[in-house]
Amino acid sequence: MASISKAPLLILLLFSLHFFAVISVEFLVGEEHGWALPSSKEGDQRYNEWASKHRFKVGDTIYFKYQKDSIMVVTEEEYNKCHSSHPILFSNNGDTIVSLDRPGLFFFISGVTGHCERGQKMIIKVLELPSPDSGAGHNSTDPSNNTTTASSANSSSGVLETAALTVGLFIVSLF
């Protein structure tokens, strides 16, 4: 009986894991507070302050957890007016997940009358995923978002390579 060498299989597995690994993050809006009307002492910028502390990328999702409320994805004009007759998305099921499927700005408001005016609204800026060859070999700083592209890319690829190696070794140990 012919035996198959494990080395070519391991190499193929490691390369395929490296190319197909994608890291996306699910963010819980408002963290422990969830999506709720801010108290008067929290002010009307609670959700925009929360959003400004996070870095959103294409492929990430945001999770709205709420009770007796709703979430609407709207245009910038509707956001500024705190009103939408035809939102891009409307949900009132208490658990809403929104996929950030493109770079740019996303505008969210509560669908309950008066909540948006009292601060239950949020703008999220979604960054484009860097191309594999951008930032390679040099350290550049993008002044629009104050991030260093090369160091961020290097730390992410190191995590992916470590994860691929770990999974690969586990699978090989099964043979």
Side-chain angles (χ1 to χ4, degrees), residues 89-130:
L89 173 92
F90 173 82
S91 181
N92 63 354
N93 66 6
D95 291 301
T96 303
I97 297 175
V98 178
S99 176
L100 303 174
D101 58 356
R102 60 170 174 77
L105 298 176
F106 285 75
F107 300 89
F108 301 91
I109 64 174
S110 170
V112 175
T113 304
H115 283 202
C116 177
E117 292 84 355
R118 293 173 52 199
Q120 197 173 358
K121 60 183 182 176
M122 174 176 64
I123 302 171
I124 287 183
K125 180 179 181 180
V126 179
L127 304 173
E128 195 164 355
L129 289 174

Side-chain angles (χ1 to χ4, degrees), residues 65-94:
K65 179 79 174 156
Y66 52 93
Q67 295 177 356
K68 298 181 183 176
D69 211 315
S70 61
I71 179 69
M72 294 194 299
V73 179
V74 297
T75 65
E76 182 176 8
E77 181 181 344
E78 293 168 325
Y79 175 87
N80 291 329
K81 291 179 180 178
C82 274
H83 177 74
S84 176
S85 299
H86 303 288
I88 298 164
L89 173 92
F90 173 82
S91 181
N92 63 354
N93 66 6

Side-chain angles (χ1 to χ4, degrees), residues 37-44 118:
L37 186 64
S39 67
S40 57
K41 67 180 176 180
E42 292 174 310
D44 62 354
R118 293 173 52 199

Side-chain angles (χ1 to χ4, degrees), residues 5-163:
S5 172
K6 294 179 189 176
L9 291 174
L10 177 61
I11 291 169
L12 178 65
L13 178 67
L14 290 177
F15 278 115
S16 64
L17 286 175
H18 179 74
F19 288 113
F20 294 112
V22 175
I23 295 179
S24 63
V25 178
E26 182 175 273
F27 294 90
L28 175 60
V29 174
E31 295 164 358
E32 70 274 356
H33 301 290
W35 180 249
L37 186 64
S39 67
S40 57
K41 67 180 176 180
E42 292 174 310
D44 62 354
Q45 291 298 310
R46 171 168 99 193
Y47 293 104
N48 284 331
E49 288 171 3
W50 174 84
S52 71
K53 294 176 185 173
H54 299 284
R55 187 176 172 125
F56 303 96
K57 298 181 301 293
V58 172
D60 288 346
T61 56
I62 53 174
Y63 173 52
F64 291 86
K65 179 79 174 156
Y66 52 93
Q67 295 177 356
K68 298 181 183 176
D69 211 315
S70 61
I71 179 69
M72 294 194 299
V73 179
V74 297
T75 65
E76 182 176 8
E77 181 181 344
E78 293 168 325
Y79 175 87
N80 291 329
K81 291 179 180 178
C82 274
H83 177 74
S84 176
S85 299
H86 303 288
I88 298 164
L89 173 92
F90 173 82
S91 181
N92 63 354
N93 66 6
D95 291 301
T96 303
I97 297 175
V98 178
S99 176
L100 303 174
D101 58 356
R102 60 170 174 77
L105 298 176
F106 285 75
F107 300 89
F108 301 91
I109 64 174
S110 170
V112 175
T113 304
H115 283 202
C116 177
E117 292 84 355
R118 293 173 52 199
Q120 197 173 358
K121 60 183 182 176
M122 174 176 64
I123 302 171
I124 287 183
K125 180 179 181 180
V126 179
L127 304 173
E128 195 164 355
L129 289 174
S131 62
D133 59 343
S134 71
H138 68 283
N139 220 2
S140 64
T141 301
D142 179 356
S144 67
N145 61 11
N146 296 326
T147 60
T148 304
T149 55
S151 63
S152 298
N154 289 341
S155 66
S156 295
S157 67
V159 170
L160 292 176
E161 289 170 5
T162 302

